[in-house]
Amino acid sequence: MAVTLEQARRVGYTCLKALLRFAFMVANNLVAIPSYVLYLIMLQPLRMLDSKRFWYIEGVLFKWLLAMVASWGWWAGYTVVEWGDDVKAVSEDEAMVLVNHQATGDVCTLMMCLQDKGTVVRQMMWLMDHIFKYTNFGIVSLIHGDFFIRQGRTHRDQQLVLLKDHLEKYYRSRNRKWIVLFPEGGFLRKRRETSQAFAKKNNLPFLKHVTLPRLGATQVILKTLVAPQENGTPTGGDAAIKESKSKGLQWVIDTTIAYPKGEPIDIQTWILGYRQPTVTHVHYRIFPVKDVPAEPEALTNWLYQRFIEKENLLTHFYETGAFPPPKGQTKAISREMTLSNLWLVGIQSLAFLSGGMWYCIFQYLYHCLF
């Protein structure tokens, strides 16, 4: 089939745009990530004197880095429309966020749509596959205190012990609020067949758009972060002491990501921008943690029910292009998530200015020493 001149031009333009975007992303990383690390090295005396203030500053820098990642997709036309409960209402409370997992772009989508949710981006902890430790962003996540989990049956028990220790050591000491995890334990395309075989063997629902979740990490998080209750209030101490302590995990935010035609965006597309502008749809449902069962079998059933609901949500979305309305309502209300281009340009400019500043500092030190 012959290629027309117009088609050739379009392909050439797409390739040139992808190349320029990739070059910008590389430059962005080369200045932003080292600057983040160097700022925090310089602030180590503050960490010893005032740990709370140090982690506040680190959180602001972390949010700016995630905003840079969000900007790559935003400027390519990869936007987000939100549905369901308004999570801004619980942005200052502790919450566990359960997300379905289809591709690497899921993380980028969350980095974007949580930018306008108050302080949650700078105070959140991520649970992600250990392979991300070895990416360009790995050093940032290590410093921030995210947890890298190894998948596989042979590692499972050990990883859950390590997760519990990690939460006890870093979650409250660094004033974390939200913890984000993908309970399916991998991408949909990789786990679907195994999940369906397990469901058939155990007389569980047949799922196409999600897989059956794993219990381990969810159970550890709930056991570790939910404050003990006694007669409806946290245990221990008088009222003043109770007030000064964390209320513990208060909410579970069930988050469902849907891509048009079920075609997820991966990290390569997010960076290179060769796909046409796409609207990703994100649905939230908030549950009080007091309504989540603690006993393993009941918790497993509760978690399965959430993913069965995700299956129904996604089925409706792929058939109609919208999520169904909540019970008792006739129409679902969507909210277009927006970012300020001026703010994103300011963050990017600050990154490159910081890179230039550190370069001048090291040049000066080099000439002084040699």
Side-chain angles (χ1 to χ4, degrees), residues 94-163:
E94 290 188 23
M96 176 173 63
V97 185
L98 307 175
V99 193
N100 62 313
H101 209 8
Q102 301 174 69
T104 48
D106 297 340
V107 175
C108 300
T109 296
L110 289 173
M111 287 180 177
M112 175 188 286
C113 65
L114 296 180
Q115 281 290 325
D116 68 342
K117 306 299 186 294
T119 63
V120 296
V121 173
R122 62 180 177 82
Q123 292 182 293
M124 71 194 328
M125 179 181 285
W126 297 76
L127 264 65
M128 58 188 77
D129 192 280
H130 80 288
I131 197 67
F132 285 101
K133 185 188 296 186
Y134 307 105
T135 65
N136 59 317
F137 211 77
I139 183 64
V140 174
S141 291
L142 280 169
I143 293 172
H144 184 70
D146 296 328
F147 184 77
F148 299 94
I149 191 164
R150 293 181 66 90
Q151 303 295 342
R153 188 174 299 175
T154 56
H155 304 290
R156 192 169 300 160
D157 292 341
Q158 181 194 29
Q159 290 299 297
L160 295 180
V161 172
L162 292 174
L163 173 59

